[in-house]
Amino acid sequence: MKVAGSLDGRTALPNGDSRWITSPQARADGHAWRGRADAVLTGIGTVLADDPRLDVRLAPTKRQPDLVVVDSGLRTPLDAQLFGLERGLHIYCGGGTDSGQAAAIKARGARLVALPGPLGRVDLRSMLLDLPRHGIKVLHVEAGAVLNGALLQAGLVDELLIYMAPCLLGEGLPLAQFGPLGALAQAHVLNFDSIERVGPDLRIVARLRPRGSDAEALSA
């Protein structure tokens, strides 16, 4: 899971403005990491807010990773930039695959899969079990706070790739939305693999500890 933000953990201003918190060097490095994956995962909130391409443009690559979109209500605009690129496009929804919108999305070349979960959302665990059947084993997440939080809370994140800019934003959007937690023992505890300078920013690579070890780590 890749996130970019300020020193106080904000990925955007309250109005959603995030271009650009981190430096050109960090963005190019992020594209290089994006290119290592079999696919990039994002959510419908990011698609609607930013209309991203989420391809590799700022680093050399021999192939473009597939794109995976979590879109519970099939709200992906048919003129979104994610269509029309030479790569696989996988859209997971919570149902309604027999609708006119579903037919139009399929006509644009997307693979559409309904995996309904609670409250009409996409069953994320089932999605991650389905993707390897289509050649996707390394998944690079670039999503908003809601989907990031859902993946973390479900225990579906192995590694965090964090670009941290030397600035403070105060109020703003967090890197992940979950909680509030009732105790420190419920926190997601990380092991730092590396911390390096990329231009003026820091690149932090950290792995999630198994949840069973969290309470011991926080009480030590």
Side-chain angles (χ1 to χ4, degrees):
M1 176 183 288
K2 177 255 182 180
V3 292
S6 62
L7 190 61
D8 53 350
R10 301 303 180 187
T11 61
L13 298 178
N15 63 7
D17 185 14
S18 63
R19 297 185 179 180
W20 298 101
I21 295 174
T22 53
S23 65
Q25 297 96 317
R27 296 198 295 276
D29 192 70
H31 275 235
W33 280 75
R34 186 186 287 175
R36 300 177 185 182
D38 297 319
V40 177
L41 170 68
T42 196
I44 184 59
T46 298
V47 172
L48 294 175
D50 300 334
D51 191 20
R53 290 169 55 180
L54 291 174
D55 56 352
V56 180
R57 303 183 304 281
L58 304 180
T61 185
K62 294 182 179 180
R63 49 166 289 280
Q64 290 292 341
D66 283 8
L67 181 60
V68 181
V69 180
V70 176
D71 180 7
S72 299
L74 283 180
R75 295 184 292 152
T76 299
L78 297 177
D79 60 352
Q81 291 194 94
L82 54 85
F83 291 109
L85 300 177
E86 293 185 2
R87 61 179 175 185
L89 175 59
H90 314 259
I91 298 179
Y92 288 85
C93 63
T97 53
D98 57 349
S99 66
Q101 173 72 353
I105 287 174
K106 292 177 184 177
R108 293 298 317 267
R111 171 179 165 262
L112 184 61
V113 182
L115 291 176
L119 303 175
R121 299 190 178 103
V122 173
D123 185 329
L124 298 175
R125 191 174 299 276
S126 295
M127 178 188 71
L128 293 187
L129 291 173
D130 180 63
L131 286 171
R133 303 184 186 116
H134 300 273
I136 297 172
K137 297 180 180 179
V138 179
L139 189 62
H140 179 87
V141 179
E142 294 195 32
V146 174
L147 182 53
N148 285 350
L151 290 165
L152 284 166
Q153 287 296 84
L156 301 177
V157 178
D158 296 320
E159 184 177 76
L160 287 176
L161 171 66
I162 302 171
Y163 293 93
M164 185 172 290
C167 66
L168 302 173
L169 297 183
E171 291 189 19
L173 303 183
L175 65 87
Q177 181 176 312
F178 57 83
L181 303 180
L184 285 176
Q186 298 172 339
H188 296 277
V189 182
L190 311 172
N191 286 325
F192 289 129
D193 280 357
S194 66
I195 302 175
E196 299 181 34
R197 287 282 296 269
V198 178
D201 306 315
L202 291 180
R203 182 186 68 203
I204 300 171
V205 180
R207 296 191 67 83
L208 274 293
R209 292 187 190 179
R211 293 304 292 268
S213 66
D214 294 358
E216 179 181 351
L218 289 169
S219 61

